[in-house]
Amino acid sequence: MKQAVKSGKRTKRRIGEGRGGRPTKAEAQAIEDRILAVAADLFARDGYAATSMERVVSECGAGKDTIYRRYPSKRAIFDAVLDRSRRRIMARLGDLQVRQSSQDSLAQLKELTSLLLDINLDPELVAFKRIAASESLVAAGSHAAPEPDAIMSLLRTSVTKAQADRHIVPGDVNFLTDFLINSIIVGPTTLAMFGYKPLASPRERKLYFEKAWRLFLGGAAGRRDG
């Protein structure tokens, strides 16, 4: 009688397929991180329409049930990807605040504005903004939280501190904050959304920022010139 020959090949385990029990909290978080990282890459690279749930399943090696239990539709996973992006942005801003404790108010405002320029030129975020702008159904029907007011609030607070220390002119903080954003961030971000690659190198970005910052201070300087 011939003995059955065991195959030397092992079946590749998909993420989310555990040892028969429920995954630990750490394992569940790792699964979610993997799913959202793959989905973010697909949305950013190929757009909303070309990214299907089936492609997410295939690319991240997850079981269908694993993904659909968490995200019942493409809209749901897209919203989760946006929320993930916003949380990462807020974490970067939080880290900056911790580092800035010993700086004066004008230095804090400058560093915050520089970081916001970097964030707005991040290719992944540019891609998500392009999706929201070009695919109106996605933007109109999204259930994700709105663009966080916390970012604008943080910037207004920083402007207010610089005003209080007489580094920049007093007046309408909302107008001055909008002026700051339009002076430095809007132009390069708009070019990026149209497919250009402005300020591609760190050196180009630094040179641009320093020049734009000086021009901003030229219009907003109080007692102290920039």
Side-chain angles (χ1 to χ4, degrees), residues 37-212:
V38 169
D41 182 65
L42 288 172
F43 283 125
R45 188 182 68 207
D46 301 330
Y48 186 84
T51 300
S52 65
M53 291 293 281
E54 288 72 22
R55 287 194 67 203
V56 176
V57 170
S58 174
E59 291 282 339
C60 71
K64 224 173 190 180
D65 290 346
T66 298
I67 290 183
Y68 276 96
R69 274 198 306 270
R70 290 168 169 81
Y71 313 106
S73 67
K74 181 166 75 169
R75 178 64 51 77
I77 200 168
F78 182 68
D79 288 347
V81 163
L82 291 182
D83 186 62
R84 168 183 176 266
S85 178
R86 290 165 184 148
R87 283 187 280 109
R88 292 171 73 182
I89 289 170
M90 296 310 297
R92 291 180 68 182
L93 293 173
D95 290 342
L96 176 65
Q97 285 183 291
V98 172
R99 296 198 310 269
Q100 286 187 325
S101 58
S102 62
Q103 294 178 333
D104 70 36
S105 57
L106 188 63
Q108 290 180 19
L109 178 60
K110 182 178 181 180
E111 192 172 0
L112 173 59
T113 306
S114 178
L115 177 58
L116 289 176
L117 176 64
D118 287 344
I119 287 170
N120 277 276
L121 290 179
D122 179 85
E124 184 178 271
L125 186 60
V126 169
F128 295 157
K129 286 184 176 182
R130 191 181 295 126
I131 289 172
S134 63
E135 303 191 39
S136 57
L137 289 178
V138 176
S142 176
H143 300 295
E147 201 65 31
D149 287 339
I151 293 176
M152 286 302 296
S153 177
L154 185 61
L155 193 55
R156 282 193 294 268
T157 298
S158 192
V159 169
T160 300
K161 288 179 180 177
Q163 287 179 312
D165 292 339
R166 300 187 179 184
H167 293 305
I168 56 180
V169 293
D172 186 343
V173 66
N174 293 318
F175 179 86
L176 197 54
T177 302
D178 288 343
F179 176 56
L180 174 60
I181 292 171
N182 287 313
S183 297
I184 297 177
I185 297 173
V186 170
T189 301
T190 302
L191 287 175
M193 286 184 65
F194 278 100
Y196 297 97
K197 294 184 178 179
L199 314 178
S201 71
R203 182 175 183 276
E204 287 177 300
R205 193 169 298 184
K206 180 175 175 56
L207 289 173
Y208 163 81
F209 178 78
E210 291 295 338
K211 183 176 181 179

